[in-house]
Each structure stands twice: as C-alpha cells, then as structure tokens.
C-alpha cells in the first residue's frame, strides 16, 4: 500500500475553483490523502472538485470541519504545477481559485474510468436524409475523426438523441464502446526528418543541445517567413520525445492546426493530441487525463494548453510568438508567451519562441542575454524574399470610394495574365466601418457601446465589433428621419471585394475574413481551395497574415499601410511593422519571386521606411531607444486598471478614491494616471473608467498594487480588473 501524507481525519487544506479566495480546511477521507490529490469536497449543499493544497491552516473549528468525500482517480497535481499556478496567480494578481479553474477545464474529471459509448462518423450513408440528420453528419465531419458522447453530439447538433441513434443502422454514425482515455498513438522521434539546409541544421543542433541539457532555457528562433522554422523546431520536439519527456506546441490560430498536424504526422508517424476550442468535450477529457499520465507525448494547442497537467514537460514552442492573440483579454488576463517561460523555468524545460517578427519584449530579452537567439536569414530552397515597394497615394488618381490604385491594379492584371494569385490585404472586416447620414451627419452607433456600427452587407446587418450586437440597416436616419440618405463611408473587405469584381471582371475573387465562415471546416475548405489555385484575387483581413502557404501567390497589395499607425497605442509602430512584414511574407513562397506593394500617404514615415528596406535591426534599435527614453515596456512596467459599472458615477468615484489613496504606489516610485474615461467609454451598457500605472522595471509592482487595492470594497455592480503588462488600452 502506498503511504499517504495525511491519514484519515487529519486536517488538510483543499483549494477549489470556487471564488472563495483561498484553500479551506477539511478532514482527510477514509484511507487518507496526500498533497496534490484531486478530491471531491462538500461546499454548502454542493459537491465540488478540489486539490489538496497541503496541511490545514487550522482556521476552521474542529467541530465544523467537514470530510473530503473521496479522492478522485486522476494523476495528482504535481508540485511543479502547484507552484506554477501560485506564481501565475501572484504575477497576474488573479485569485488562486481562478487559476485552478484554468487548470481543470475538462469535463467529467471525477468520473470513474469505466467504458463509455462514443459516437463518430462512419462510412455509410443514411437511408433517408432529414435536416436534423444532415446537421449531425455535418457536425461530425466538421470535427474530423473526433468522437462525441451522445449528449454532447445531440446538443451541439440541436437534435434529440434518437436522431443520432437513428443514424447507426446505416453505418453513417458509428457507436463504439471506448475505454475512457485511450493513450494517444506513439510518436516515433527516431523517424528521419526532411534533410535540412545548412543553416537549418545548425539551428536544429543548437535547439537539440538545449533540450538534451534537460534544464530551463529560452531561445528566440527568428527566421524570415518561409525559412523553415517549423522543420527546425520539430527537431527540438524530436529530441525532447527521445528523452521520454513531453512537448507542447502553441499556435496562435486554430485554422493553422490542420496543416501543422499533417506535418507532425509526416515527421513522427502519428498525430499528436490537440487542445483548443474546436475539440470535443470527450476529447478534451482524454487529453487532460493522458497528459497527466504520460499517454500523450505532444500536445498542439491554443494558449490554455499551458495549464494542462503535464507529467514531464521538456519543451514548449510558442509559434508566431509576437501574435497578440497570446494575450488573453477576458477573465484571467495573462500572456501565454510569458506564462510559457514561467512554466518552463519551473519544469526544467526549454522554450522556443519562433517568429519572423518577434515582439520587442523578446527581442530585448535576447539583446540582454536572457534568451539565446538563432537567426535564419534566407528562405528555404529556391524561394526568395519578396521585393517591397511603396505606392505613394498622393500621386495616384482615384475616384471617391475607390481604394485600388492604378499602379496596384496594373500589377494585379499582370499576375492574372501569368496565372498567378494576388492578395489584397485590408485589416477591416465588413463592408464599411461607418454609416453616415448625408443629411445631418449622424453616424450610426451601437446602443450599448460607444462604438460605431460596422455595415456587414453579406449579413445584411450593422454589427458592433465591441459587443456583437446587430441590427438591420435602417431605411431612415435615426437622428433626422431623412429617407434614403444613409451612406457607407470607408472600406471593409466586403466593399473591396465589390470593387475588385468591377475592376477585374474576369477574376475569381475569394474573401478570407473570420466572420464570413460559420464553421472552422468551411474556412479550412476555402483555404485549401485557394492554395489549389481556385482564386485569382484573395481579399483578406489579418487572418491571412498568419502562416498560410499559398504557392501561387506572388503579389501582395496592402490597401492601407497607414491604418495601424494612426492610434496612439504604445505598440502601434511595432504592430504595423510585424503585420506588414508578415503579410508581405505571404508572397513568393513558391518558385516565383514575390512583390509586395504598400499603398501609403506617408512613404517617408520611419516605420514605413523600415518595412520597405527590411532593415529590421535598426528598426528595433530605434523602437527600443524610444521606449527606453519613455520608460515604457519592455524597459519599464505598466499595469492597467479598468473599473466598470452600469452608471458612470460609481466607476468614477472609485477611480477618484484610488487616485487619492495611491501611497502604496508612490512608495515604489510608480506613477498613476487617471481616472479617465476609457477610449471606448461604454461597452455592453457598462461605463468604463481607466487608470494606468507606470513603474521602473525592477519595481515590485504586483505587491504595491495588492496593498493599494486591499482596502477596496467593490460596491454592488461595480467591477475592477487589473491588467499587468497590458497589450490593449481600449
Ligand atoms: P516558416 O515557418 O519559417 O515560415 P516553414 O517551416 O513553413 O517556414 O517552411 C516553409 C516551406 O519550406 C514549407 O513548405 C516547408 O515544407 C518547406 N521546407 C522548409 N524546410 C525544408 C526542408 N529542409 N526540406 C524540405 N522542405 C522544407
Ligand atoms: Zn456594442
């Protein structure tokens, strides 16, 4: 028998995911329990999941102490994971229970490991098709080969379970008794990879050596688009697996996973575990449990995969590490890139941050020697980096409400004549960003937010990009009641598609924008069709900037290169530089050389110049110098506070009180700005007030903020969120 740390009836502290703030004392159950055990405990009238966090604190009277109900059949939470959750909670100023919730996001963790029925797509066709049956089949196909439980399948398809059962006799749906939590197929790290180019081989050798060392370290793998970074970091994965340790690869976009999974399968002979919002609940549970037991060697996933209970994590790859989607902007506010480094440092694992255009944070860490840095400076094989040129829009003749300049149009026509593809890039979803009344000048706004509504002609509605509210396009102006005077102002991708169809009547035009696809499968199908050459002109938002390979694409036209430079955002220059270089990098990945044309009204702007010349190091140096002088990240620290309430006054009152009582911040030399209305002062009917804290790099910011906020008692309806290292200032 295994010895237990706490015998029956001993006092133990149990952390639950309930918002209680801290662990509570319980009595150990029959058979005892140990630190890290997943347990079920009574909480009021309910039974909830918890983790034994250590010995009890003794602050509950012995007579009131309730007993742990049972220890669950799951691998205990390792000490390293507990330390990670505590450190992440301290860093992000998040209550520990909220961190535990991130770490237990899989359903049925407490269920026994019995057999259960699973349902997946079979080869057969149903004898008779009904709309309900079609929905079930479509859903199963959308999720690839993944299996569902009956309840989840019926619910997601919006049908009764008898509809699912009715599809079994024909073989259209397979019903099988699956032992819960089968291990994932074995990935073989000894299989040969593709032969690497010289610089790739050197990079791979360095990453392999780091992984073989078995301790913590972070490497920035900076390689131009198309340099073959993926093949290089797959070698690090191979090294990690060959030591019997687990690896995690984070991707910024679910749409990219399909292609990546295929590459993993080619390299290691089987598919890895997948973890993101497009994975079924049944599969999530399997991933969670197998990761904890060592039945999954490699996980490919979204940022939340960082909170999986790895048994022996040896490597974390953060691909496209500069991508802003790694920052979680709702609920627990954390940056997955930074948390990956924290987790790896506790696990004795290596981190590889891969990007063609690293974040200034990572660049600075490499400069400071905290991260190793490896550069891949040329594209793999014969592919050449695209040529970049500006189109000076001040010299172009364009009628109103047209955005494709004559120079760009000529270039597109030349590509069409050569049987090649062009991408027109515009980072704006919808038809037009503003709808204005030509009689009174009124702009149609959202009823719940201080934001203008965006016309989506495809949906035939106006949409608020803040809260998602939609309404039909009105026939009369809501302000002056004039009829037929509402007009779209400015371009979105849908309007650009319309212009392209007029301008290039023979072209096949495809639009890639996240809101035009109702399912991930439809989006994947469109991407595949484009890659196969089924479009001449691709019109896309930033969705296309992220890593898709379109071999026939040789021209990228950026409709408005100035768009991102307009805001006063601290990272406006950095973001524009990254986005423009990434988008341009879509061109010329096949045999033919690419060209990127940037439409701009300010070709001599330093950021536009740096994008065109590709003199990256001097761009980063200049950007770093400016941020250092201003004392802002990564050379200083920041935290944002957002207070929101249904009425403006209580939010402002609290903000004002905080500003008057900022002694804990002043003690560490921090500066406080605000309160001020947030740039978007109302979202979903809640008024928003912002404060911003700036401190020196070494200042103990979190501790000071904790002291400062400790006396705050939030009035009913008022919410306060702390954002350490904010990325968004809206
Ligand atoms: P990056 O992620 O740096 O943009 P990828 O890893 O996607 O680049 O590689 C770009 C293209 O070159 C891909 O189509 C990839 O399959 C191919 N490639 C890269 N390295 C090799 C190699 N050593 N052998 C064969 N093909 C390679
Ligand atoms: Zn809104």
């Amino acid at each position: 028998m295994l010895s237990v740390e706490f015998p029956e009836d001993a006092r133990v502290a149990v952390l639950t995911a309930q918002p209680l703030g801290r662990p509570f004392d319980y009595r150990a159950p029959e058979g005892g329990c140990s630190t890290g055990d997943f347990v079920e405990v009574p909480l009021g009238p309910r039974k909830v999941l918890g983790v034994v966090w250590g010995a009890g604190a003794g602050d509950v009277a012995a007579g009131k102490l309730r007993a742990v109900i049972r220890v669950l059949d799951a691998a205990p939470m390792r000490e390293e994971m507990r330390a990670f959750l505590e450190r992440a909670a301290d860093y992000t100023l998040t209550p520990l229970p909220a961190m535990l919730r991130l770490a237990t996001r899989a359903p049925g963790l407490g269920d026994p490991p019995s057999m259960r029925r699973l349902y997946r797509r079979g080869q057969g066709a149903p004898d008779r098709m009904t709309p309900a049956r079609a929905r079930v089949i479509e859903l199963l196909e959308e999720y690839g080969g993944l299996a569902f439980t009956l309840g989840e399948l019926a619910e997601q398809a919006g049908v009764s379970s008898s509809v699912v059962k009715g599809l079994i006799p024909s073989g259209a749906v397979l019903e099988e008794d699956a032992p819960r939590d089968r291990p994932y197929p074995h990935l073989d790290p000894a299989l040969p990879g593709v032969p690497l180019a010289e610089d790739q081989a050197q990079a791979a050798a360095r990453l392999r050596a780091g992984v073989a060392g078995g301790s913590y370290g972070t490497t920035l793998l900076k390689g131009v688009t198309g340099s073959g970074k993926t093949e290089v970091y797959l070698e690090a994965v191979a090294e990690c697996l060959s030591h019997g340790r687990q690896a995690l690869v984070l991707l910024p976009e679910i749409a990219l996973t399909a292609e990546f999974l295929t590459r993993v399968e080619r390299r290691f002979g089987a598919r890895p575990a997948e973890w993101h919002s497009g994975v079924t609940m049944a599969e999530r549970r399997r991933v969670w449990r197998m990761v904890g037991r060592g039945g999954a060697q490699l996980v490919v996933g979204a940022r939340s995969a960082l909170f999986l209970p790895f048994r022996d994590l040896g490597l974390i790859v953060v691909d496209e590490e500069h991508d802003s989607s790694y920052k979680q902007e709702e609920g627990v506010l954390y940056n997955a890139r930074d948390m990956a480094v924290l987790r790896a440092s506790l696990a004795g694992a290596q981190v590889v941050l891969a990007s063609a255009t690293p974040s200034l944070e990572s660049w600075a860490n490499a400069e400071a020697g905290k991260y190793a840095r490896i550069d891949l400076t040329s594209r793999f094989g014969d592919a050449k980096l695209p040529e970049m040129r500006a189109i000076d829009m001040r010299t172009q003749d364009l009628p109103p409400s047209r955005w494709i300049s004559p120079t760009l149009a000529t270039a597109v026509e030349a590509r069409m004549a050569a049987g090649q593809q062009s991408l027109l890039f515009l980072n704006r979803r919808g038809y037009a960003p503003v709808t204005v009344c030509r009689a009174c000048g009124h702009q149609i706004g959202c009823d719940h937010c201080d934001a203008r509504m965006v016309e989506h002609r495809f949906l035939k509605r106006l949409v608020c990009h803040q809260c998602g509210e939609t309404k039909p396009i009105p026939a009369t102006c809501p302000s002056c009641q004039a009829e037929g005077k509402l007009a779209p102002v400015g371009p979105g991708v849908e309007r650009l598609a319309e212009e392209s169809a007029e301008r290039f009547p023979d072209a096949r035009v495809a639009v890639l924008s996240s809101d035009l696809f109702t399912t991930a499968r439809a989006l994947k199908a469109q991407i595949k069709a484009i890659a196969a050459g089924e479009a001449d002109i691709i019109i896309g938002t930033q969705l296309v900037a992220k890593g898709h390979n379109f071999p026939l694409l040789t021209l990228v036209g950026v409709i408005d290169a100035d768009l991102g430079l307009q805001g006063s955002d601290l990272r406006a220059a950095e973001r524009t530089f990254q986005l423009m270089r990434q988008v341009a990098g879509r061109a010329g990945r096949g045999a033919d050389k690419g060209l990127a044309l940037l439409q701009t009204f300010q070709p001599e702007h330093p950021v536009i110049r740096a994008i065109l010349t590709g003199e990256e190091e001097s761009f980063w140096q200049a950007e770093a110098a400016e941020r250092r002088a201003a004392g802002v990240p990564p050379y200083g620290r920041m935290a944002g506070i957002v207070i929101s309430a249904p009425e403006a006054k209580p939010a402002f009152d609290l903000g004002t009180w905080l500003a008057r009582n900022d002694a804990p911040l002043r003690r560490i030399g921090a500066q406080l700005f605000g309160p001020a209305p947030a740039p978007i002062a109302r979202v979903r009917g809640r008024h928003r007030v912002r404060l911003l804290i700036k401190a020196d790099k070494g200042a103990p910011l979190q501790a000071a903020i904790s002291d400062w906020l400790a006396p705050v008692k939030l009035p009913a309806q008022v919410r306060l969120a702390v954002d350490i290292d904010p990325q968004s200032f809206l």
Side-chain angles (χ1 to χ4, degrees):
M1 232 204 82
L2 285 172
S3 69
V4 290
E5 191 180 349
F6 304 106
E8 183 171 354
D9 287 342
R11 199 183 264 269
V12 295
V14 174
L15 179 70
T16 70
Q18 308 305 310
L20 301 170
R22 62 184 173 88
F24 273 87
D25 283 6
Y26 285 89
R27 270 189 292 117
E30 190 185 334
C33 60
S34 300
T35 301
D37 280 347
F38 281 89
V39 292
E40 190 172 62
V41 293
L43 188 79
R46 291 181 302 152
K47 295 175 179 178
V48 300
L49 178 94
V51 174
V52 178
W53 215 251
D59 50 7
V60 178
K64 287 199 165 169
L65 212 54
R66 300 174 77 179
V68 168
I69 299 165
R70 64 190 176 104
V71 175
L72 302 181
D73 172 46
M77 183 180 280
R78 296 160 40 79
E79 177 175 3
E80 163 225 317
M81 184 70 177
R82 295 197 303 278
F84 172 58
L85 295 181
E86 282 178 343
R87 295 273 296 272
D90 287 349
Y91 189 88
T92 58
L93 289 174
T94 304
L96 198 49
M99 292 320 293
L100 181 65
R101 203 170 314 130
L102 284 180
T104 49
R105 265 214 204 134
L109 290 183
D111 299 356
S114 53
M115 306 280 276
R116 45 104 186 244
R117 293 248 152 100
L118 288 181
Y119 299 79
R120 67 175 82 236
R121 179 77 169 106
Q123 299 292 325
D127 38 6
R128 187 170 54 80
M129 193 56 102
T130 65
R133 287 181 161 193
R135 281 205 298 280
V136 173
I137 288 176
E138 192 171 309
L139 186 73
L140 286 172
E141 286 178 349
E142 189 182 313
Y143 278 84
L146 296 185
F148 286 77
T149 58
L150 184 59
E152 190 190 7
L153 181 53
E155 193 193 313
Q156 286 227 19
V159 302
S160 70
S161 48
S162 59
V163 173
V164 176
K165 295 225 152 150
L167 285 163
I168 295 169
S170 60
V173 171
L174 300 180
E175 179 185 49
E176 48 197 31
D177 275 331
R180 279 199 153 172
D181 323 321
R182 275 163 303 125
Y184 285 85
H186 181 70
L187 306 186
D188 184 358
L191 287 176
V194 291
L196 297 179
E198 181 57 31
D199 60 340
Q200 284 181 315
Q202 277 175 15
R206 280 181 63 188
L207 293 183
R208 273 184 177 269
V211 172
S215 59
Y216 163 74
T218 296
T219 304
L220 174 61
L221 176 61
K222 182 175 179 309
V224 297
T225 51
S227 58
K229 293 183 287 296
T230 313
E231 302 301 336
V232 170
Y233 71 64
L234 283 178
E235 292 306 300
V237 172
E239 184 72 29
C240 177
L241 301 188
S242 74
H243 291 271
R245 302 185 78 188
Q246 295 168 301
L248 167 64
V249 174
L250 297 180
L251 300 177
E253 170 75 54
I254 304 178
L256 293 175
T257 43
E259 191 197 334
F260 184 74
L261 294 177
T262 317
R263 287 173 82 161
V264 169
E265 193 170 2
R266 235 186 286 141
R267 178 68 182 78
F268 300 117
R271 286 164 87 82
E274 227 183 308
W275 177 274
H276 51 71
S277 58
V279 168
T280 63
M281 287 297 162
E283 187 67 13
R284 275 199 198 208
R285 190 193 121 112
R286 178 180 173 210
V287 176
W288 195 92
R289 293 187 78 105
M290 282 305 113
V291 161
R293 298 212 172 129
Q297 296 158 283
L298 170 63
V299 178
V300 176
R303 59 186 176 222
S304 57
L306 269 179
F307 294 90
L308 285 170
F310 289 95
R311 197 172 68 162
D312 185 7
L313 187 59
L315 172 69
I316 306 175
V317 176
V318 185
D319 202 358
E320 309 287 358
E321 68 91 33
H322 63 278
D323 199 287
S324 54
S325 68
Y326 283 122
K327 177 68 189 282
Q328 161 108 5
E329 296 284 9
E330 255 167 44
V332 180
L333 307 176
Y334 68 94
N335 190 321
R337 180 192 65 220
D338 302 340
M339 291 302 120
V341 171
L342 173 62
R343 176 130 204 213
S345 70
L346 295 166
Q350 289 281 310
V351 180
V352 175
L353 304 176
S355 175
T357 52
S359 60
L360 189 62
E361 273 83 359
S362 298
W363 181 88
N365 278 327
E367 283 282 295
K370 277 198 230 164
Y371 297 171
R373 173 169 163 176
I374 300 177
D375 282 72
L376 296 172
T377 53
S378 60
R379 281 195 161 171
F380 176 77
D382 295 333
K384 295 276 169 301
L385 281 168
E387 185 188 337
M388 312 257 285
R389 269 191 252 144
I391 296 177
D392 186 344
M393 294 301 277
R394 294 167 304 189
T395 67
Q396 298 277 320
D397 240 349
L398 260 186
S401 297
R402 289 288 180 276
W403 290 275
I404 302 171
S405 67
T407 307
L408 180 55
T410 309
V412 170
E413 277 156 1
R415 293 307 176 293
M416 284 173 61
Q420 297 170 355
Q421 291 175 325
S422 304
L423 165 68
L424 300 183
F425 177 78
L426 177 64
N427 206 10
R428 261 196 186 144
R429 291 179 288 134
Y431 184 82
V434 184
T435 301
V436 69
C437 170
R438 275 174 297 166
C440 74
H442 175 76
Q443 302 184 349
I444 299 188
C446 174
D447 297 337
H448 314 288
C449 308
D450 281 350
R452 292 180 295 213
M453 294 198 85
V454 178
E455 181 183 347
H456 284 244
R457 205 158 273 195
F458 176 76
L459 300 171
K460 299 193 178 60
R461 292 183 86 78
L462 296 167
V463 179
C464 171
H465 285 187
Q466 293 308 316
C467 71
E469 170 81 358
T470 75
K471 55 185 174 194
I473 301 161
T476 57
C477 171
S479 178
C480 74
Q481 274 73 45
E483 217 165 302
K485 290 287 181 191
L486 291 173
V489 176
V493 280
E494 292 177 22
R495 200 172 191 186
L496 193 59
E498 196 178 89
E499 183 181 346
S500 301
E502 277 168 31
R503 192 82 183 61
F504 314 105
D506 300 329
R508 295 164 301 166
V509 177
V511 184
L512 274 182
S513 173
S514 53
D515 58 313
L516 298 180
F517 298 90
T518 45
T519 67
R521 185 168 62 110
L523 174 59
K524 262 189 258 170
Q526 174 75 297
I527 289 172
K528 218 171 143 187
I530 292 174
E534 288 173 27
D536 303 305
I537 299 176
I538 306 149
I539 295 184
T541 60
Q542 62 172 357
L543 186 66
V544 294
K546 299 182 185 180
H548 300 292
N549 254 329
F550 298 131
L552 295 174
L553 181 69
T554 55
L555 174 70
V556 170
V558 176
I559 296 300
D560 187 352
D562 308 329
L563 192 58
L565 290 172
Q566 287 155 5
S568 56
D569 193 308
L570 151 75
R571 294 184 175 83
E574 175 184 351
R575 292 258 163 80
T576 301
F577 182 85
Q578 286 161 342
L579 189 58
M580 294 298 117
R581 299 284 304 177
Q582 290 279 343
V583 171
R586 298 302 112 214
R589 291 175 72 105
D592 294 300
K593 186 170 160 80
L595 171 66
L597 295 174
L598 275 60
Q599 298 194 148
T600 171
F601 284 92
Q602 39 184 345
E604 56 295 306
H605 190 292
V607 176
I608 301 287
R609 291 215 53 78
I611 293 166
L612 294 173
T613 58
E615 282 162 14
E616 287 181 59
E617 289 307 312
S618 51
F619 169 77
W620 294 122
Q621 304 280 6
E623 186 64 19
E626 252 175 55
R627 300 241 198 125
R628 198 179 278 121
V632 296
Y635 302 98
R637 303 203 54 198
M638 274 189 182
I641 309 284
V642 174
I643 304 168
S644 71
E647 304 296 331
K649 189 169 181 314
F652 259 104
D653 287 350
L654 177 56
T656 308
W657 187 90
L658 284 170
R660 290 216 184 102
N661 294 277
D662 67 343
L665 300 178
R666 272 184 284 121
R667 269 200 290 280
I668 63 158
Q671 285 172 283
L672 180 67
F673 301 91
I680 302 174
R682 204 167 49 108
V683 172
R684 293 187 179 87
R686 294 182 71 87
H687 293 264
R688 301 167 76 243
V689 169
R690 260 191 163 281
L691 297 114
L692 187 68
I693 305 159
K694 241 179 84 179
D696 286 345
K697 189 146 174 74
L701 186 59
Q702 282 88 341
I705 294 176
S706 289
D707 286 351
W708 177 51
L709 296 178
V712 172
K713 272 240 160 291
L714 286 183
Q717 308 263 30
V718 177
R719 285 185 223 142
L720 184 151
V722 184
D723 188 359
I724 304 289
D725 311 330
Q727 296 280 318
S728 158
F729 294 86
L730 292 178

